[in-house]
Amino acid sequence: MNPIRPLDPVLIDQIAAGEVVERPASVVKELVENALDAGAERIEVRLEEGGIRRIEVRDDGCGIPADQLELAVRSHATSKLRTAEDLTQVATLGFRGEALASIAAVSRFEILSRAEGESAAARLEVRFGCPGPVREASGPRGTRVRVEDLFAELPARRKFLRRPATELAHGAAWVERLALVHRGVGFRLEHGDRVLLEVPPDAGREERWARILGRGLAERLVEIRDRRPGLVLEARVGPPESARRNASRVHLFLNGRWVRDPRLLRAVREGVREFVPAGMLPALVLELAVPPERIDVNVHPQKTEVRFRDERLVIGAVITALRRGLSGSEWSARGVGSIGRVEEAAPTATRRPAPATGSAGAPWERPLPAAVGPPAGPTADHPAPSQPELPLPPPAGGPGAFLSVARTFLLREVPGGLEILDQHALHERINLEELRREIRSGAVVAQPLLVPAVVEVDRVELDLLLARAEDFRRLGVELEALGPGSIAVRSVPARLTRLDPEGLVRDLLEIAGEQREAGPEALQEEVLHRMACRGAVMAGDHLDAEALADLLRRGADLPQDRTCAHGRPVRVFLSVADLERAFHRR
Ligand code: ADP
Ligand code: MG
């Protein structure tokens, strides 16, 4: 073996550059982000041969003082971050001080900049990591960076470059992404002598998006907004025809930063699932704003991955907002007329119906009649249909008044229309609420198993489960190690008689594995959700009269009975007007 030697600093930068600079598009992204951070009002990007030959980005931002130019291209030098504390409050697109150094390490690089208030510009060239002197130059206020022959001296990297057309597509995508959300900034993208994109700084959102997404699409976007403590959400979703098999038309922004978070994307899939062909994703721009201290963007050098402090809140909000917004959109109607539209509550909704918005309101805006009625027993007065907030009369023949369809949906007449329940969603919601109630008053009531269920696990899994045994015990699940390769389930929550212990252990393992960092409450919440679902009757399960009566009785006093634990509707209400429309009576 050779002796150990420290690496040459240039080689260090070239190696590190691999994490930031993957291809010309990464250079485009970093340079445009720098221009945005510098407060530019106009940004021009010029590419030759898809950026392989040359990338040039000019801006009219604050510029860099001559005496700092050398520092700007040094690794881990930045004007955007000082203390570790700042890292919890990142408000700029850059903060790692790596981009210019990385780019300059793997290209023929030149930066020309004139800072605000300086009489002359300064210029610095770096050839594959070796800087020249800083020279005085002339130029307007702002910065111009030129990057030529990317990876030319690094054959190992160069051979991963694709055809110019492919590299151009990637680079252009970054300009478009950034131009979508940075309103007030003008963008121009040129390839050779062709202008590919031109957005004036004062172009409003409509005009901006029309130029970037295409006018036809930009005019047909459905707008969705949601605002809750710690989160502002705005989404614009294209029609089903805009859907693609991949996420190429999906743009997710977090505090102005384009991100590629797999969990967010999954939430988007979930939120749009009912409105596009299976497995596809529509054109969509989702902008989230959260307080910077609630996210961590320092996950990866390319800064496109993030961690959320309240992931469940964000993910839940995305799913619900998209679903709710789209269910009110013109293309949500499936089947006949408006009949396919789905009534869904805001997550904060209670059983008290929202104030009526006038008779012309869409179905999802109108108040719901009431909760599931008690199953049987004589009651005196039937409330008038005009007072839907009063308790419902019991269905005439007790629970039998429900019509079961496809062993999944329970239909019945309610004042003003037709109510459809999803038996699984209802049971899941009941389970969740009842378990929560038990936790609030101490712990979930456990049911010891006469014969403990033994499940095979490996050493690592065993440790994972035992580390959380106390948290699980509060949920009525008692686990006990039976030697190195198996674990016994001694009790399960008393009300979840359908729970299969083996499946339960698999669920607990999965959750404990995913939520290693989670505190007991977050972990328990996740387990509760899972158990509520697993312990519920499924769509397709036959419910006999007794089981149905039990379900409806327990459903009668839910604090939240409009959506299941996953945010899917428990109940859909079709008004008489909806039915009339479906039959062309209106
Ligand atoms: P970061 O953006 O993470 O700080 P960079 O390597 O991209 O790191 O840039 C280093 C520094 O150079 C920045 O902090 C900024 O002060 C300065 N800089 C880079 N590009 C520009 C620009 N276009 N306009 C003004 N200053 C810039
Ligand atoms: Mg930067």
Side-chain angles (χ1 to χ4, degrees):
M1 272 235 290
N2 292 326
I4 303 175
R5 273 186 304 246
L7 286 176
D8 177 74
V10 170
L11 188 52
I12 293 179
D13 279 349
Q14 287 176 338
I15 291 172
E19 299 193 315
V20 181
V21 189
E22 223 179 297
R23 59 188 343 160
S26 343
V27 174
V28 172
K29 164 191 184 276
E30 294 296 338
L31 296 182
V32 174
E33 287 191 345
N34 278 349
L36 289 166
D37 282 345
E41 204 181 302
R42 282 174 196 275
I43 302 175
E44 279 182 33
V45 180
R46 293 201 184 127
L47 305 177
E48 306 278 341
E49 291 177 27
I52 300 171
R53 170 82 262 289
R54 173 198 277 228
I55 300 160
E56 184 179 294
V57 177
R58 291 167 187 256
D59 68 62
D60 58 357
C62 64
I64 305 172
D67 59 350
Q68 290 182 20
L69 209 52
E70 224 182 317
L71 266 179
V73 300
R74 213 179 291 162
S75 52
H76 313 300
T78 175
S79 57
K80 301 168 194 173
L81 192 72
R82 275 171 199 288
T83 64
E85 179 66 16
D86 295 347
L87 213 43
T88 63
Q89 292 269 3
V90 174
T92 47
L93 294 169
F95 56 88
R96 297 172 58 108
E98 290 179 330
L100 292 187
S102 299
I103 297 165
V106 295
S107 68
R108 245 180 281 286
F109 175 96
E110 184 209 77
I111 183 164
L112 173 79
S113 192
R114 195 174 111 202
E116 182 96 71
E118 296 216 349
S119 54
R123 201 171 73 94
L124 169 63
E125 276 183 20
V126 186
R127 298 180 128 245
F128 293 93
C130 305
V134 174
R135 294 215 163 90
E136 200 175 292
S138 67
R141 192 195 79 165
T143 304
R144 185 191 78 194
V145 177
R146 259 186 204 157
V147 176
E148 296 182 323
D149 302 330
L150 188 69
F151 300 147
E153 294 187 6
L154 297 101
R157 308 298 309 282
R158 183 138 186 132
K159 70 169 188 251
F160 284 102
L161 292 180
R162 304 269 166 252
R163 291 178 301 121
T166 309
E167 296 301 341
L168 171 64
H170 286 282
W174 268 112
V175 179
E176 290 171 357
R177 284 165 193 165
L178 292 163
L180 274 176
V181 291
H182 290 277
R183 292 157 212 166
V185 182
F187 289 83
R188 186 180 163 94
L189 170 66
E190 290 177 24
H191 186 239
D193 47 17
R194 276 202 313 146
V195 178
L196 301 184
L197 180 70
E198 169 94 77
V199 181
D202 57 357
R205 191 187 62 72
E206 311 261 304
E207 180 56 25
R208 184 169 286 263
W209 286 26
R211 287 174 186 238
I212 299 168
L213 301 174
R215 211 158 287 275
L217 176 57
E219 279 168 4
R220 296 200 54 206
L221 298 172
V222 168
E223 281 194 37
I224 296 166
R225 289 166 197 275
D226 195 1
R227 179 182 280 274
R228 52 186 78 191
L231 178 75
V232 180
L233 177 154
E234 268 190 50
R236 291 183 178 80
V237 188
E241 310 86 85
S242 71
R244 297 287 179 270
R245 293 239 149 258
N246 56 28
S248 58
R249 307 181 103 185
V250 174
H251 298 278
L252 310 178
F253 294 93
L254 180 61
N255 295 353
R257 184 189 303 279
W258 186 90
V259 294
R260 187 179 11 203
D261 188 76
R263 284 147 303 181
L264 267 186
L265 193 60
R266 226 179 299 142
V268 168
R269 268 187 203 286
E270 190 56 38
V272 303
R273 198 172 57 184
E274 294 178 29
F275 309 97
V276 289
M280 298 179 78
L281 284 162
L284 179 147
V285 181
L286 175 67
E287 292 172 79
L288 298 173
V290 301
E293 69 274 11
R294 306 205 77 88
I295 52 172
D296 183 4
V297 287
N298 186 27
V299 181
H300 187 271
Q302 292 175 8
K303 301 164 292 180
T304 51
E305 285 168 39
V306 280
R307 264 187 227 117
F308 293 97
R309 230 204 265 167
D310 341 78
E311 184 165 305
R312 179 186 300 284
L313 171 96
V314 177
I315 297 298
V318 170
I319 298 177
T320 325
L322 288 177
R323 262 202 207 121
R324 187 154 32 97
L326 291 176
S327 66
S329 71
E330 61 187 282
W331 56 77
S332 71
R334 289 150 299 167
V336 233
S338 68
I339 210 160
R341 290 180 180 174
V342 170
E343 166 74 52
E344 196 166 319
T348 49
T350 63
R351 255 166 61 187
R352 177 171 290 282
T357 48
S359 55
W364 54 93
E365 289 166 341
R366 284 197 295 272
L368 272 185
V372 182
T379 16
D381 352 81
H382 286 206
S386 58
Q387 297 172 297
E389 70 274 13
L390 291 179
L392 280 181
F402 280 88
L403 174 65
S404 170
V405 175
R407 292 187 168 185
T408 301
F409 304 108
L410 306 170
L411 275 58
R412 68 162 171 178
E413 184 179 6
V414 293
L418 169 69
E419 182 181 67
I420 309 170
L421 299 170
D422 175 315
Q423 64 182 38
H424 171 72
L426 174 64
H427 197 185
E428 182 178 323
R429 172 54 67 186
I430 290 172
N431 284 342
L432 188 67
E433 296 298 342
E434 290 180 348
L435 290 168
R436 280 191 179 140
R437 205 180 305 154
E438 289 181 8
I439 287 196
R440 274 197 297 276
S441 56
V444 169
V445 180
Q447 165 86 58
L449 296 179
L450 283 179
V451 184
V454 178
V455 182
E456 303 294 309
V457 290
D458 67 28
R459 181 84 247 169
V460 177
E461 293 175 328
L462 186 66
D463 288 349
L464 201 56
L465 291 174
L466 293 181
R468 294 298 204 162
E470 205 37 54
D471 296 331
F472 295 147
R473 194 190 314 276
R474 281 201 65 213
L475 302 176
V477 179
E478 200 167 328
L479 302 175
E480 189 191 339
L482 288 186
S486 53
I487 197 157
V489 182
R490 298 214 161 270
S491 73
V492 294
R495 62 180 63 260
L496 301 183
T497 46
R498 292 173 161 263
L499 218 52
D500 141 55
E502 173 122 9
L504 174 66
V505 169
R506 297 282 145 224
D507 283 347
L508 295 181
L509 268 175
E510 192 186 315
I511 294 168
E514 277 171 6
Q515 309 248 340
R516 266 171 227 272
E517 311 294 315
E521 270 164 28
L523 182 89
Q524 287 178 354
E525 187 60 22
E526 186 67 40
V527 175
L528 279 187
H529 272 83
R530 196 72 68 93
M531 293 197 306
C533 177
R534 292 296 165 100
V537 295
M538 291 295 147
D541 285 352
H542 173 68
L543 285 183
D544 59 24
E546 202 184 325
L548 181 59
D550 179 56
L551 196 62
L552 296 173
R553 186 174 37 74
R554 290 158 68 192
D557 44 30
L558 286 175
Q560 205 285 47
D561 72 340
R562 291 169 70 172
T563 56
C564 79
H566 295 109
R568 282 199 296 116
V570 165
R571 316 188 293 147
V572 166
F573 172 66
L574 297 174
S575 68
V576 172
D578 289 331
L579 296 172
E580 284 171 347
R581 262 194 294 272
F583 288 95
H584 300 267
R585 285 177 170 276
R586 285 186 169 226

Short mmCIF file of all heavy atoms in Angstrom, two decimals, residues 9-51:
data_model
loop_
_atom_site.label_atom_id
_atom_site.label_comp_id
_atom_site.label_asym_id
_atom_site.label_seq_id
_atom_site.Cartn_x
_atom_site.Cartn_y
_atom_site.Cartn_z
N PRO A 9 -5.53 20.30 -2.64
CA PRO A 9 -6.79 21.05 -2.49
C PRO A 9 -7.62 21.12 -3.77
O PRO A 9 -8.85 21.08 -3.72
CB PRO A 9 -6.32 22.45 -2.08
CG PRO A 9 -4.94 22.27 -1.55
CD PRO A 9 -4.36 21.04 -2.17
N VAL A 10 -6.97 21.22 -4.92
CA VAL A 10 -7.72 21.27 -6.18
C VAL A 10 -8.49 19.96 -6.39
O VAL A 10 -9.66 19.95 -6.76
CB VAL A 10 -6.78 21.56 -7.38
CG1 VAL A 10 -7.54 21.38 -8.70
CG2 VAL A 10 -6.22 22.96 -7.29
N LEU A 11 -7.80 18.86 -6.08
CA LEU A 11 -8.45 17.56 -6.24
C LEU A 11 -9.61 17.42 -5.25
O LEU A 11 -10.67 16.88 -5.59
CB LEU A 11 -7.41 16.44 -6.03
CG LEU A 11 -7.89 15.03 -6.35
CD1 LEU A 11 -8.50 14.95 -7.74
CD2 LEU A 11 -6.74 14.03 -6.20
N ILE A 12 -9.41 17.95 -4.04
CA ILE A 12 -10.51 17.93 -3.05
C ILE A 12 -11.74 18.62 -3.64
O ILE A 12 -12.85 18.08 -3.60
CB ILE A 12 -10.09 18.63 -1.74
CG1 ILE A 12 -8.99 17.82 -1.04
CG2 ILE A 12 -11.31 18.82 -0.81
CD1 ILE A 12 -8.49 18.44 0.25
N ASP A 13 -11.54 19.80 -4.22
CA ASP A 13 -12.68 20.53 -4.79
C ASP A 13 -13.30 19.77 -5.96
O ASP A 13 -14.51 19.78 -6.15
CB ASP A 13 -12.25 21.92 -5.25
CG ASP A 13 -12.19 22.90 -4.09
OD1 ASP A 13 -12.68 22.54 -2.99
OD2 ASP A 13 -11.66 24.01 -4.26
N GLN A 14 -12.43 19.11 -6.74
CA GLN A 14 -12.98 18.37 -7.89
C GLN A 14 -13.82 17.18 -7.43
O GLN A 14 -14.84 16.86 -8.02
CB GLN A 14 -11.85 17.92 -8.82
CG GLN A 14 -11.28 19.12 -9.59
CD GLN A 14 -10.09 18.78 -10.46
OE1 GLN A 14 -9.40 17.78 -10.23
NE2 GLN A 14 -9.82 19.62 -11.43
N ILE A 15 -13.35 16.54 -6.38
CA ILE A 15 -14.13 15.42 -5.85
C ILE A 15 -15.44 15.93 -5.26
O ILE A 15 -16.53 15.43 -5.56
CB ILE A 15 -13.31 14.66 -4.78
CG1 ILE A 15 -12.14 13.93 -5.45
CG2 ILE A 15 -14.21 13.66 -4.05
CD1 ILE A 15 -11.17 13.30 -4.48
N ALA A 16 -15.33 16.99 -4.46
CA ALA A 16 -16.53 17.55 -3.83
C ALA A 16 -17.51 18.07 -4.88
O ALA A 16 -18.73 18.02 -4.69
CB ALA A 16 -16.15 18.66 -2.85
N ALA A 17 -16.96 18.55 -6.00
CA ALA A 17 -17.82 19.12 -7.04
C ALA A 17 -18.83 18.10 -7.54
O ALA A 17 -19.93 18.45 -7.97
CB ALA A 17 -16.98 19.63 -8.20
N GLY A 18 -18.46 16.84 -7.46
CA GLY A 18 -19.36 15.78 -7.94
C GLY A 18 -20.72 15.82 -7.26
O GLY A 18 -21.72 15.41 -7.84
N GLU A 19 -20.74 16.31 -6.04
CA GLU A 19 -22.02 16.33 -5.32
C GLU A 19 -22.91 17.48 -5.77
O GLU A 19 -24.11 17.42 -5.64
CB GLU A 19 -21.76 16.48 -3.82
CG GLU A 19 -20.96 15.33 -3.26
CD GLU A 19 -21.00 15.33 -1.76
OE1 GLU A 19 -20.83 16.42 -1.17
OE2 GLU A 19 -21.19 14.25 -1.19
N VAL A 20 -22.29 18.55 -6.23
CA VAL A 20 -23.08 19.73 -6.61
C VAL A 20 -23.31 19.77 -8.11
O VAL A 20 -24.40 20.06 -8.58
CB VAL A 20 -22.34 21.02 -6.17
CG1 VAL A 20 -23.16 22.25 -6.53
CG2 VAL A 20 -22.04 20.99 -4.68
N VAL A 21 -22.26 19.48 -8.87
CA VAL A 21 -22.33 19.63 -10.32
C VAL A 21 -22.40 18.26 -10.97
O VAL A 21 -21.42 17.55 -11.08
CB VAL A 21 -21.10 20.39 -10.87
CG1 VAL A 21 -21.32 20.71 -12.34
CG2 VAL A 21 -20.86 21.65 -10.09
N GLU A 22 -23.58 17.92 -11.41
CA GLU A 22 -23.79 16.63 -12.03
C GLU A 22 -23.70 16.78 -13.55
O GLU A 22 -23.25 15.91 -14.23
CB GLU A 22 -25.20 16.21 -11.68
CG GLU A 22 -25.42 14.79 -11.28
CD GLU A 22 -26.89 14.62 -10.95
OE1 GLU A 22 -27.37 15.26 -9.99
OE2 GLU A 22 -27.55 13.87 -11.68
N ARG A 23 -24.20 17.91 -14.03
CA ARG A 23 -24.33 18.14 -15.46
C ARG A 23 -24.52 19.64 -15.67
O ARG A 23 -24.66 20.40 -14.71
CB ARG A 23 -25.53 17.37 -15.99
CG ARG A 23 -26.81 17.80 -15.29
CD ARG A 23 -28.02 16.97 -15.61
NE ARG A 23 -27.87 16.16 -16.78
CZ ARG A 23 -28.61 15.10 -17.06
NH1 ARG A 23 -29.57 14.74 -16.23
NH2 ARG A 23 -28.43 14.42 -18.16
N PRO A 24 -24.53 20.11 -16.92
CA PRO A 24 -24.68 21.55 -17.14
C PRO A 24 -25.88 22.15 -16.40
O PRO A 24 -25.80 23.27 -15.88
CB PRO A 24 -24.85 21.65 -18.66
CG PRO A 24 -24.10 20.47 -19.19
CD PRO A 24 -24.30 19.38 -18.19
N ALA A 25 -26.97 21.39 -16.33
CA ALA A 25 -28.16 21.94 -15.67
C ALA A 25 -27.87 22.31 -14.22
O ALA A 25 -28.44 23.27 -13.70
CB ALA A 25 -29.30 20.93 -15.73
N SER A 26 -27.00 21.56 -13.54
CA SER A 26 -26.70 21.91 -12.15
C SER A 26 -26.02 23.27 -12.08
O SER A 26 -26.22 24.04 -11.14
CB SER A 26 -25.80 20.88 -11.46
OG SER A 26 -25.74 19.67 -12.13
N VAL A 27 -25.18 23.56 -13.09
CA VAL A 27 -24.50 24.85 -13.12
C VAL A 27 -25.53 25.96 -13.33
O VAL A 27 -25.54 26.98 -12.65
CB VAL A 27 -23.44 24.87 -14.25
CG1 VAL A 27 -22.83 26.26 -14.38
CG2 VAL A 27 -22.39 23.81 -13.99
N VAL A 28 -26.44 25.72 -14.28
CA VAL A 28 -27.49 26.71 -14.55
C VAL A 28 -28.25 27.00 -13.27
O VAL A 28 -28.46 28.15 -12.89
CB VAL A 28 -28.45 26.19 -15.65
CG1 VAL A 28 -29.66 27.10 -15.79
CG2 VAL A 28 -27.71 26.03 -16.97
N LYS A 29 -28.65 25.94 -12.60
CA LYS A 29 -29.43 26.10 -11.38
C LYS A 29 -28.67 26.93 -10.34
O LYS A 29 -29.19 27.91 -9.81
CB LYS A 29 -29.74 24.73 -10.79
CG LYS A 29 -30.20 24.78 -9.35
CD LYS A 29 -30.23 23.40 -8.73
CE LYS A 29 -30.78 23.42 -7.32
NZ LYS A 29 -29.77 23.75 -6.31
N GLU A 30 -27.43 26.56 -10.06
CA GLU A 30 -26.68 27.25 -9.02
C GLU A 30 -26.43 28.71 -9.37
O GLU A 30 -26.53 29.59 -8.52
CB GLU A 30 -25.34 26.55 -8.75
CG GLU A 30 -25.48 25.15 -8.16
CD GLU A 30 -26.11 25.14 -6.76
OE1 GLU A 30 -26.06 26.18 -6.07
OE2 GLU A 30 -26.67 24.08 -6.38
N LEU A 31 -26.13 28.98 -10.64
CA LEU A 31 -25.84 30.36 -11.03
C LEU A 31 -27.10 31.22 -11.00
O LEU A 31 -27.07 32.37 -10.56
CB LEU A 31 -25.18 30.40 -12.41
CG LEU A 31 -23.80 29.72 -12.50
CD1 LEU A 31 -23.23 29.86 -13.90
CD2 LEU A 31 -22.82 30.27 -11.46
N VAL A 32 -28.21 30.66 -11.45
CA VAL A 32 -29.45 31.44 -11.41
C VAL A 32 -29.87 31.66 -9.95
O VAL A 32 -30.32 32.74 -9.58
CB VAL A 32 -30.57 30.77 -12.23
CG1 VAL A 32 -31.88 31.52 -12.06
CG2 VAL A 32 -30.18 30.72 -13.70
N GLU A 33 -29.69 30.66 -9.13
CA GLU A 33 -30.02 30.85 -7.71
C GLU A 33 -29.16 31.94 -7.08
O GLU A 33 -29.64 32.75 -6.30
CB GLU A 33 -29.85 29.53 -6.94
CG GLU A 33 -30.95 28.53 -7.27
CD GLU A 33 -30.98 27.31 -6.34
OE1 GLU A 33 -29.99 27.08 -5.62
OE2 GLU A 33 -31.99 26.61 -6.35
N ASN A 34 -27.88 31.97 -7.43
CA ASN A 34 -27.03 33.04 -6.92
C ASN A 34 -27.54 34.40 -7.36
O ASN A 34 -27.56 35.36 -6.59
CB ASN A 34 -25.59 32.85 -7.41
CG ASN A 34 -24.83 31.85 -6.55
OD1 ASN A 34 -25.29 31.45 -5.48
ND2 ASN A 34 -23.67 31.45 -7.03
N ALA A 35 -27.96 34.49 -8.63
CA ALA A 35 -28.46 35.76 -9.15
C ALA A 35 -29.72 36.18 -8.38
O ALA A 35 -29.90 37.35 -8.04
CB ALA A 35 -28.75 35.63 -10.64
N LEU A 36 -30.58 35.20 -8.09
CA LEU A 36 -31.80 35.51 -7.34
C LEU A 36 -31.44 35.97 -5.92
O LEU A 36 -31.99 36.95 -5.42
CB LEU A 36 -32.72 34.28 -7.29
CG LEU A 36 -33.40 33.93 -8.61
CD1 LEU A 36 -34.00 32.53 -8.56
CD2 LEU A 36 -34.50 34.96 -8.94
N ASP A 37 -30.51 35.25 -5.30
CA ASP A 37 -30.08 35.66 -3.95
C ASP A 37 -29.47 37.07 -3.96
O ASP A 37 -29.52 37.77 -2.96
CB ASP A 37 -29.04 34.67 -3.40
CG ASP A 37 -29.66 33.38 -2.89
OD1 ASP A 37 -30.90 33.37 -2.70
OD2 ASP A 37 -28.93 32.40 -2.67
N ALA A 38 -28.90 37.45 -5.11
CA ALA A 38 -28.28 38.78 -5.19
C ALA A 38 -29.30 39.87 -5.48
O ALA A 38 -28.94 41.02 -5.69
CB ALA A 38 -27.19 38.77 -6.27
N GLY A 39 -30.57 39.50 -5.53
CA GLY A 39 -31.63 40.50 -5.72
C GLY A 39 -31.75 40.98 -7.15
O GLY A 39 -32.21 42.10 -7.39
N ALA A 40 -31.36 40.15 -8.10
CA ALA A 40 -31.41 40.57 -9.50
C ALA A 40 -32.84 40.82 -9.94
O ALA A 40 -33.78 40.21 -9.44
CB ALA A 40 -30.79 39.50 -10.38
N GLU A 41 -32.97 41.75 -10.90
CA GLU A 41 -34.28 42.00 -11.48
C GLU A 41 -34.38 41.37 -12.86
O GLU A 41 -35.45 41.05 -13.33
CB GLU A 41 -34.50 43.51 -11.57
CG GLU A 41 -35.96 43.87 -11.59
CD GLU A 41 -36.13 45.37 -11.71
OE1 GLU A 41 -35.60 46.09 -10.83
OE2 GLU A 41 -36.74 45.81 -12.70
N ARG A 42 -33.20 41.20 -13.47
CA ARG A 42 -33.15 40.52 -14.77
C ARG A 42 -32.04 39.49 -14.77
O ARG A 42 -30.92 39.79 -14.36
CB ARG A 42 -32.87 41.52 -15.90
CG ARG A 42 -34.06 42.31 -16.29
CD ARG A 42 -33.66 43.37 -17.30
NE ARG A 42 -34.72 44.37 -17.37
CZ ARG A 42 -35.80 44.24 -18.14
NH1 ARG A 42 -35.93 43.17 -18.91
NH2 ARG A 42 -36.73 45.16 -18.14
N ILE A 43 -32.36 38.32 -15.26
CA ILE A 43 -31.37 37.24 -15.33
C ILE A 43 -31.37 36.68 -16.75
O ILE A 43 -32.43 36.35 -17.28
CB ILE A 43 -31.71 36.12 -14.32
CG1 ILE A 43 -31.76 36.70 -12.90
CG2 ILE A 43 -30.69 34.99 -14.40
CD1 ILE A 43 -32.20 35.73 -11.84
N GLU A 44 -30.18 36.61 -17.33
CA GLU A 44 -30.07 36.08 -18.69
C GLU A 44 -29.19 34.85 -18.69
O GLU A 44 -28.09 34.87 -18.15
CB GLU A 44 -29.40 37.11 -19.60
CG GLU A 44 -30.35 38.16 -20.08
CD GLU A 44 -29.62 39.13 -21.02
OE1 GLU A 44 -28.69 38.69 -21.74
OE2 GLU A 44 -29.98 40.31 -20.99
N VAL A 45 -29.69 33.80 -19.30
CA VAL A 45 -28.92 32.56 -19.37
C VAL A 45 -28.65 32.26 -20.84
O VAL A 45 -29.59 32.25 -21.65
CB VAL A 45 -29.72 31.39 -18.74
CG1 VAL A 45 -28.92 30.10 -18.81
CG2 VAL A 45 -30.10 31.72 -17.30
N ARG A 46 -27.39 32.05 -21.18
CA ARG A 46 -27.05 31.69 -22.57
C ARG A 46 -26.32 30.37 -22.57
O ARG A 46 -25.34 30.20 -21.84
CB ARG A 46 -26.12 32.73 -23.18
CG ARG A 46 -26.80 34.03 -23.34
CD ARG A 46 -26.09 34.87 -24.39
NE ARG A 46 -26.76 36.15 -24.39
CZ ARG A 46 -26.15 37.31 -24.25
NH1 ARG A 46 -24.83 37.35 -24.16
NH2 ARG A 46 -26.85 38.41 -24.24
N LEU A 47 -26.78 29.46 -23.39
CA LEU A 47 -26.15 28.14 -23.45
C LEU A 47 -25.64 27.87 -24.86
O LEU A 47 -26.25 28.31 -25.83
CB LEU A 47 -27.17 27.05 -23.07
CG LEU A 47 -27.87 27.20 -21.72
CD1 LEU A 47 -28.90 26.09 -21.53
CD2 LEU A 47 -26.86 27.17 -20.59
N GLU A 48 -24.52 27.17 -24.95
CA GLU A 48 -24.03 26.65 -26.22
C GLU A 48 -23.93 25.15 -26.10
O GLU A 48 -23.42 24.65 -25.08
CB GLU A 48 -22.61 27.20 -26.54
CG GLU A 48 -22.48 28.71 -26.50
CD GLU A 48 -22.95 29.36 -27.79
OE1 GLU A 48 -23.03 28.66 -28.81
OE2 GLU A 48 -23.23 30.57 -27.76
N GLU A 49 -24.38 24.46 -27.12
CA GLU A 49 -24.36 22.99 -27.11
C GLU A 49 -24.96 22.43 -25.82
O GLU A 49 -24.35 21.61 -25.13
CB GLU A 49 -22.94 22.44 -27.31
CG GLU A 49 -22.41 22.71 -28.71
CD GLU A 49 -20.97 22.22 -28.88
OE1 GLU A 49 -20.57 21.29 -28.19
OE2 GLU A 49 -20.27 22.81 -29.72
N GLY A 50 -26.13 22.90 -25.52
CA GLY A 50 -26.84 22.40 -24.33
C GLY A 50 -26.15 22.76 -23.03
O GLY A 50 -26.53 22.27 -21.97
N GLY A 51 -25.14 23.63 -23.10
CA GLY A 51 -24.42 24.01 -21.89
C GLY A 51 -23.09 23.27 -21.74
O GLY A 51 -22.27 23.61 -20.89
#
